[in-house]
Amino acid sequence: IQRFKTLLDVAFPLASLNLFAGLNGMGKSTLIQALLLLRQSYERNALFNRGLLLKGEYVSLGTGQDVLSEGAESNSLEFLLKWADREAVSFRFGYSPQSDLQPNVRIIGKPEIDVPGNMSLFNRNFQYLSADRIGPRASYEVSDYSIQDLNSLGNHGEYTAHFIAENGSKPLPIPAFRHRRTELFGLAENLDKWMSELSPGLRIHAVMQPQLNSVSLSYAYEQGREVTADFKPQNVGFGLTYVLPVVTALLRSKAEDLLIIENPESHLHPAGQALVGRMCAIAAANGVQVFVESHSDHFLNGIRVAVKQEVIKPEAVKLFFLERDATSPKH
């Protein structure tokens, strides 16, 4: 990445599980934003023909003057991407300071990605979950187009309840996600068990409401052999609903998926943060490429324990700690 926001000239040797950490304003989200800009430009049919769209459904960064590095010696942005099974592709964009479209200058290796059917950055094997995820509410939106055609829970997890209601009976794509407290491989059963690690005895009920074109989401709790009445999300801890899209995205992921999650640990107690770190390690160990931005040492420790217990190989994990040299105007 060259001349993009705080990243004047930097390379990231990525792995299966990539964790970005550091103080605020150091550029943790900038690498993720670069990937999201490329995807949203491709989805809008602009990437090859027109250029880089700075405003869209995935990310909105303003205009050219907002994204060109302060110390840039030339007025251009450049992203060089290397996939494991093909040649590198270089995207170079010009500088239009007052526009949200940065024009194409040069793409080297374009034939390699003219048909990106097997590239998870551009195809439907992709899920992005913003830090601004949907919280507890009385009902949730439905979107057949999002969960079926786009294979997406929504950038804010807004279609998670719909996905659970429609796909709860389907098997886990990654058998390693079968929870130790069940012999079953169904998504809903294992979602309950993993979420019970965060709130013991939790059961999740997502029910379609066709007459209202919505989905109702409620929680119940096992008490011995009995199960409580359903509780509305507003009457249960905020963190459960906030993390539900994260846990669902991990459990439904499959090999060759690309998963980007911002602050997956938000609003969870320390043990819950470590659990989500372990789940990310399980996904990455089974063919999912995972990008995570996090401030949590508990989340990191969950990954470290997973490495220690040989859930994932050490070389499959990369931790990028970003910082800035306050004495240099260019770093």
Side-chain angles (χ1 to χ4, degrees):
I1 296 178
Q2 292 184 307
R3 299 176 293 280
F4 179 55
K5 296 181 65 178
T6 59
L7 303 182
L8 187 63
D9 187 358
V10 65
F12 294 90
L14 302 172
S16 296
L17 176 52
N18 305 278
L19 175 60
F20 298 87
L23 299 178
N24 295 99
M26 296 297 104
K28 295 187 302 300
S29 60
T30 305
L31 177 277
I32 288 175
Q33 289 173 349
L35 297 177
L36 295 176
L37 286 175
L38 291 170
R39 181 175 178 90
Q40 80 179 13
S41 301
Y42 174 78
E43 285 188 353
R44 298 284 293 274
N45 296 316
L47 183 60
F48 298 139
N49 301 319
R50 301 194 62 195
L52 191 71
L53 284 176
L54 301 183
K55 293 183 181 180
E57 294 183 358
Y58 292 101
V59 62
S60 292
L61 300 180
T63 62
Q65 63 186 1
D66 297 306
V67 298
L68 185 69
S69 293
E70 187 71 22
E73 296 179 355
S74 65
N75 290 338
S76 66
L77 308 173
E78 189 158 357
F79 304 137
L80 177 68
L81 280 73
K82 176 68 174 72
W83 282 268
D85 57 349
R86 60 188 65 216
E87 295 298 319
V89 180
S90 173
F91 296 91
R92 186 169 186 177
F93 304 99
Y95 178 56
S96 183
Q98 302 303 321
S99 175
D100 61 355
L101 175 68
Q102 304 305 292
N104 277 331
V105 172
R106 182 184 65 201
I107 300 177
I108 298 177
K110 179 174 178 286
E112 290 291 326
I113 54 174
D114 269 345
V115 185
N118 62 344
M119 292 183 174
S120 299
L121 180 60
F122 299 122
N123 66 21
R124 65 194 301 272
N125 299 333
F126 176 90
Q127 176 68 59
Y128 164 62
L129 289 175
S130 165
D132 181 24
R133 291 188 290 278
I134 197 165
R137 55 184 58 190
S139 63
Y140 294 84
E141 297 180 68
V142 301
S143 174
D144 288 331
Y145 176 68
S146 291
I147 68 170
Q148 295 179 13
D149 293 81
L150 298 182
N151 189 37
S152 173
L153 303 178
N155 297 338
H156 306 283
E158 62 267 36
Y159 304 121
T160 301
H162 185 195
F163 180 86
I164 295 169
E166 295 281 8
N167 297 278
S169 62
K170 293 183 178 179
L172 295 169
I174 296 177
F177 270 127
R178 181 183 65 79
H179 196 274
R180 67 184 185 280
R181 290 196 284 109
T182 181
E183 297 298 321
L184 303 177
F185 284 87
L187 175 66
E189 170 73 12
N190 283 277
L191 182 60
D192 283 351
K193 293 296 186 288
W194 283 103
M195 290 292 290
S196 290
E197 299 274 355
L198 306 174
S199 186
L202 184 70
R203 286 191 180 183
I204 299 161
H205 297 151
V207 181
M208 294 292 298
Q209 304 291 340
Q211 68 279 11
L212 301 175
N213 194 34
S214 65
V215 182
S216 65
L217 179 68
S218 59
Y219 302 115
Y221 284 91
E222 297 176 358
Q223 293 185 340
R225 296 185 178 182
E226 303 295 326
V227 179
T228 68
D230 284 1
F231 297 98
K232 294 180 180 179
Q234 301 96 313
N235 296 324
V236 181
F238 183 90
L240 292 178
T241 302
Y242 205 69
V243 79
L244 183 61
V246 175
V247 176
T248 303
L250 289 165
L251 292 183
R252 74 167 197 141
S253 64
K254 62 185 184 304
E256 298 187 5
D257 279 3
L258 192 154
L259 183 57
I260 298 175
I261 310 175
E262 295 177 347
N263 303 118
E265 78 285 351
S266 295
H267 304 289
L268 292 179
H269 58 82
Q273 296 177 33
L275 176 75
V276 177
R278 181 181 185 86
M279 294 185 72
C280 288
I282 294 172
N286 286 273
V288 182
Q289 188 169 32
V290 183
F291 294 80
V292 175
E293 178 188 347
S294 176
H295 292 279
S296 170
D297 52 349
H298 302 294
F299 178 87
L300 171 60
N301 286 338
I303 296 173
R304 294 175 64 209
V305 171
V307 171
K308 177 68 175 178
Q309 295 177 345
E310 300 183 349
V311 171
I312 187 171
K313 295 180 179 179
E315 58 269 22
V317 180
K318 291 289 180 68
L319 167 62
F320 300 96
F321 189 89
L322 282 78
E323 54 188 349
R324 178 183 292 131
D325 182 357
T327 64
S328 171
K330 296 186 179 182
H331 297 85

